[in-house]
Amino acid sequence: MSAFNYKLQGNTIKLHFNYGRNKVLRISTGYKVNEVSSWKDQKIRALKCEPSANKYNKRLSELKVYFEDKYDNLIAEGEPIDNAVLKEVFNSFDFTPATTLKKTAFDIDCLLDEWELYCENEHRTRSGKKLKEGTLRTYKNGAVLFKKYNKINKIISPKKIDKACYNKMLTFMENRGYALNYIGKEIKIFKSFFNYLKNDKKIELPNYDSNQWKVPQEDSDDIYLTNRELMQMYYLDLSHLKTAYSRARDLFLISAFTGLRISDNKLLEDKHIIEMDGYQFFKVHSKKTDTETFIPISPIVKQILERNKGLPKRMADQTVNYLIKEIGEFCGFDESVKIRKTKGGEVVEKLFMKFELIKTHTARRSFCTNAYLGGMDALSIMAVSGHKTEENFQTYIKVTKKQQALRNAKSEYFISLNAERFKVDGTHKLKAIS
């Protein structure tokens, strides 16, 4: 058995050919890279993010085919093989003259590739942990989008990253029909990339002002289901349909009555049910936030567990999303809902029936909104839902001004503002009446 590889020694790409026990040829190809970070792997197509990389990758691939073919011929002919013979084979290859790849002054595509590797291997969160797979995918998608922009609007100098670049980037994404909140998410990613250039690559961006690269966003028009609607869904008779319908319904309701993220709901097992002081809880380690949460198991959730003889069997998100819309239609959730979004730079309004808008994420939003309207304070709900900031939590609840006003009126503070609860004594000092 033989093994052909390319390995990096310093900045030089070397050929490593293992053709038996303690038989290894190591020889320089003559090719060098400017940055060690350009080394993509230890095999073929090792050059990444260097000018003319494709050209040299091709030559390295051709060398491998040529070398292995000559080696196979020597084996077939029964010729003695040692390092001296293999060096002759190597030298007989029509090699492009040894060279160091010339590096351009400012190559955005190259820097984006380096940033991807940095995010995957070196970047850490504030708590010192590596980025989650979902976050990495988001960053990589952002890098792909930036490259598409750069293909049209070449950024040839750090000075070109300025307010004009920001405006062109917005126009570029609007012309592609992206929604405003999606554009905002991409701008956040681009700003992270610019911070990498400044802080890790030590590249000066003289015209970049983070404050000028504003993150556009608008309130979400996502719906929520009231507790009454959720109970209507709970009691809906689905016995005449496939069992997948009742499973999807009960998985959705567990999230709607606990605030669990779908990613965490899918990982729930019976062992996560614990008891403290006579109360049952789901003990959950959140996949997204990497934090531990204790979620009370309400009577309705207990009943769902009982009728399923435990937790419902898991289902793909896409399946739940499809079935829960049908279930919502069976429940008669057909009121008209106007959705208003900014897409492609224009405000677009469209009417839907409520059941058409129900999805897995609706469950978590329903929990947060219903708990808030039911009188739970924001911090208590956040302790259950796992939201880290109240600002993020506020984006989840769907409360009208009238609902907020009624909630305030029912609060202990406003109820306590009653003159009859106080009296004035002879010293004209107020005393509260218990």
Side-chain angles (χ1 to χ4, degrees):
M1 288 287 293
S2 62
F4 185 109
N5 289 299
Y6 291 119
K7 296 187 179 181
L8 201 63
Q9 183 172 332
N11 280 46
T12 301
I13 299 173
K14 298 190 74 172
L15 180 157
H16 281 226
F17 186 70
N18 189 322
Y19 57 102
R21 188 176 183 133
N22 298 321
K23 294 182 178 181
V24 183
L25 172 70
R26 299 180 180 88
I27 189 168
S28 171
T29 63
Y31 291 143
K32 296 181 180 180
V33 297
N34 290 290
E35 302 284 349
V36 174
S37 60
S38 298
W39 190 247
K40 188 177 181 182
D41 53 41
Q42 274 95 41
K43 296 184 180 180
I44 302 304
R45 304 194 183 283
L47 296 180
K48 183 181 182 183
C49 185
E50 299 251 2
S52 303
N54 289 336
K55 169 186 172 184
Y56 289 100
N57 279 330
K58 182 180 179 183
R59 294 300 287 155
L60 291 171
S61 296
E62 290 171 349
L63 171 60
K64 178 179 185 293
V65 173
Y66 175 86
F67 192 95
E68 291 181 331
D69 185 53
K70 291 292 186 183
Y71 175 78
D72 289 341
N73 288 339
L74 290 171
I75 292 291
E77 293 168 6
E79 296 288 338
I81 301 174
D82 58 17
N83 278 7
V85 172
L86 293 177
K87 282 182 181 178
E88 288 184 15
V89 171
F90 176 83
N91 290 328
S92 68
F93 179 70
D94 184 16
F95 225 96
T96 301
T99 183
T100 298
L101 303 177
K102 294 181 180 180
K103 186 176 181 180
T104 57
F106 189 72
D107 187 332
I108 278 287
D109 286 1
C110 170
L111 292 167
L112 283 164
D113 287 338
E114 291 181 10
W115 177 61
E116 283 188 57
L117 290 173
Y118 167 79
C119 290
E120 191 170 345
N121 301 312
E122 299 178 47
H123 186 63
R124 293 291 184 274
T125 63
R126 291 179 182 177
S127 59
K129 295 178 180 177
K130 293 185 74 172
L131 297 178
K132 302 281 187 181
E133 287 184 15
T135 304
L136 280 174
R137 280 196 302 271
T138 301
Y139 279 21
K140 287 179 179 180
N141 290 338
V144 170
L145 181 61
F146 204 126
K147 287 177 183 178
K148 289 178 180 178
Y149 168 83
N150 191 52
K151 193 173 182 179
I152 300 171
N153 304 279
K154 293 291 184 183
I155 301 176
I156 58 174
S157 163
K159 294 180 180 179
K160 293 293 185 180
I161 298 177
D162 53 14
K163 181 65 181 296
C165 176
Y166 169 74
N167 290 331
K168 287 180 182 178
M169 187 72 78
L170 290 181
T171 302
F172 169 76
M173 289 189 280
E174 287 172 352
N175 288 342
R176 296 175 76 89
Y178 294 153
L180 191 66
N181 285 341
Y182 180 83
I183 291 174
K185 183 176 73 172
E186 295 304 315
I187 292 294
K188 280 185 181 179
I189 293 171
F190 300 156
K191 292 176 76 169
S192 177
F193 171 58
F194 297 151
N195 287 336
Y196 163 77
L197 296 183
K198 291 171 61 180
N199 301 329
D200 294 272
K201 298 298 291 183
K202 306 303 179 186
I203 297 175
E204 289 189 17
L205 306 177
N207 298 323
Y208 170 67
D209 182 349
S210 177
N211 294 325
Q212 290 182 338
W213 284 67
K214 298 185 183 299
V215 176
Q217 58 184 359
E218 61 186 349
D219 290 338
S220 170
D221 277 330
D222 290 341
I223 62 163
Y224 81 100
L225 298 180
T226 65
N227 278 331
R228 185 182 182 86
E229 289 171 325
L230 292 172
M231 291 307 299
Q232 187 176 343
M233 188 178 284
Y234 172 83
Y235 283 113
L236 182 66
D237 182 8
L238 298 172
S239 60
H240 60 292
L241 298 171
K242 293 180 180 179
T243 56
Y245 281 87
S246 58
R247 277 171 51 208
R249 183 260 311 274
D250 287 352
L251 285 168
F252 179 86
L253 289 177
I254 287 174
S255 285
F257 290 126
T258 61
L260 273 169
R261 290 183 177 88
I262 292 300
S263 58
D264 295 328
N265 194 354
K266 292 196 303 187
L267 298 177
L268 269 186
E269 296 180 12
D270 291 333
K271 67 181 181 181
H272 294 127
I273 300 174
I274 65 167
E275 190 167 315
M276 294 189 296
D277 294 334
Y279 295 94
Q280 284 189 320
F281 297 83
F282 285 125
K283 182 182 178 182
V284 180
H285 194 93
S286 176
K287 186 177 179 181
K288 182 175 181 179
T289 62
D290 198 24
T291 56
E292 194 170 70
T293 306
F294 295 88
I295 302 175
I297 298 177
S298 61
I300 186 65
V301 173
K302 286 182 183 179
Q303 291 166 345
I304 293 172
L305 297 178
E306 286 171 4
R307 75 180 180 186
N308 285 275
K309 297 180 181 179
L311 288 160
K313 189 178 177 181
R314 299 169 188 168
M315 299 179 76
D317 290 355
Q318 297 92 330
T319 305
V320 177
N321 275 330
Y322 176 77
L323 295 179
I324 204 66
K325 287 179 173 60
E326 283 197 51
I327 293 167
E329 185 177 13
F330 298 153
C331 289
F333 303 156
D334 54 5
E335 63 184 272
S336 294
V337 178
K338 183 185 289 185
I339 297 296
R340 187 175 185 271
K341 284 187 178 180
T342 303
K343 198 170 184 180
E346 296 182 359
V347 177
V348 179
E349 290 186 348
K350 191 174 179 181
L351 280 177
F352 295 87
M353 285 187 280
K354 190 171 186 176
F355 71 83
E356 295 177 299
L357 301 172
I358 303 175
K359 51 191 176 183
T360 53
H361 202 66
T362 307
R364 180 168 158 82
R365 190 178 298 277
S366 298
F367 169 80
C368 292
T369 304
N370 289 325
Y372 185 76
L373 291 175
M376 280 184 72
D377 63 271
L379 292 179
S380 295
I381 301 172
M382 288 166 60
V384 174
S385 66
H387 287 100
K388 287 190 172 181
T389 67
E390 191 164 351
E391 180 183 5
N392 192 22
F393 166 75
Q394 291 294 338
T395 66
Y396 266 74
I397 59 174
K398 307 300 293 182
V399 178
T400 66
K401 290 182 178 180
K402 286 184 179 180
Q403 287 174 319
Q404 182 65 61
L406 286 170
R407 184 179 187 278
N408 292 342
K410 295 174 183 177
S411 69
E412 186 177 343
Y413 174 74
F414 276 98
I415 292 173
S416 69
L417 296 178
N418 184 348
E420 294 179 1
R421 293 185 65 238
F422 297 88
K423 70 176 181 178
V424 180
D425 62 14
T427 61
H428 299 286
K429 291 181 178 179
L430 282 176
K431 285 187 178 179
I433 302 173
S434 58

